[in-house]
Amino acid sequence: MFRRTFWFTAGAAAGVWATTKVNRKLRQLTPESLAAQAADKAVEAGHRLKDFALDIKAGMAQREDELNDALGLRQDPDQVQALPAPRRRAEIENPPAARGRKQHPRLNSYNRNEDH
């Protein structure tokens, strides 16, 4: 009698365990779950890629500093010159050398409708 009760209980426990495992695996294989897993992996890969890029950037800055020190190219912040001011559009379109000359009216503007 004891043996039958033991094997019945062991079989029921194995059945419950197997059913739980199968249901859990089926839930993992639903389209929604697969999409969520793919999105999580994509986000994780993006974070890893960002960390990699930041490491590369830090290494490049460090190596550039080492090379500048080795070559004696280090500049003091007080000696850095500002960039020149941008040129005005009028100077680009009509340079000072061409201001006194008259140009043909057709050379100043181009209208595609005039060619037809």
Side-chain angles (χ1 to χ4, degrees):
M1 178 80 172
F2 183 71
R3 283 172 63 183
R4 287 185 183 174
T5 305
F6 171 76
W7 287 115
F8 177 76
T9 306
V16 169
W17 177 80
T19 303
T20 304
K21 283 290 241 185
V22 168
N23 284 337
R24 189 177 299 151
K25 194 55 135 174
L26 286 175
R27 270 188 255 120
Q28 287 180 351
L29 296 176
T30 61
E32 295 85 13
S33 177
L34 292 175
Q37 289 175 7
D40 289 343
K41 288 187 180 191
V43 168
E44 183 180 333
H47 288 304
R48 286 183 183 170
L49 187 61
K50 180 183 173 186
D51 291 341
F52 177 70
L54 290 174
D55 289 345
I56 294 282
K57 188 176 179 181
M60 286 172 44
Q62 180 183 357
R63 182 64 178 149
E64 185 177 359
D65 288 341
E66 291 173 0
L67 289 173
N68 285 339
D69 289 340
L71 296 173
L73 298 176
R74 178 74 52 199
Q75 289 185 352
D76 294 331
D78 299 332
Q79 295 178 353
V80 175
Q81 296 177 357
L83 293 174
R87 293 178 62 188
R88 293 180 293 169
R89 186 172 177 86
E91 291 179 3
I92 294 172
E93 292 175 352
N94 193 9
R99 284 187 189 148
R101 289 183 273 154
K102 285 198 166 208
Q103 293 183 349
H104 191 274
R106 212 170 192 163
L107 295 177
N108 288 337
S109 67
Y110 178 72
N111 188 350
R112 290 176 29 188
N113 293 328
E114 292 177 359
D115 291 343
H116 300 289

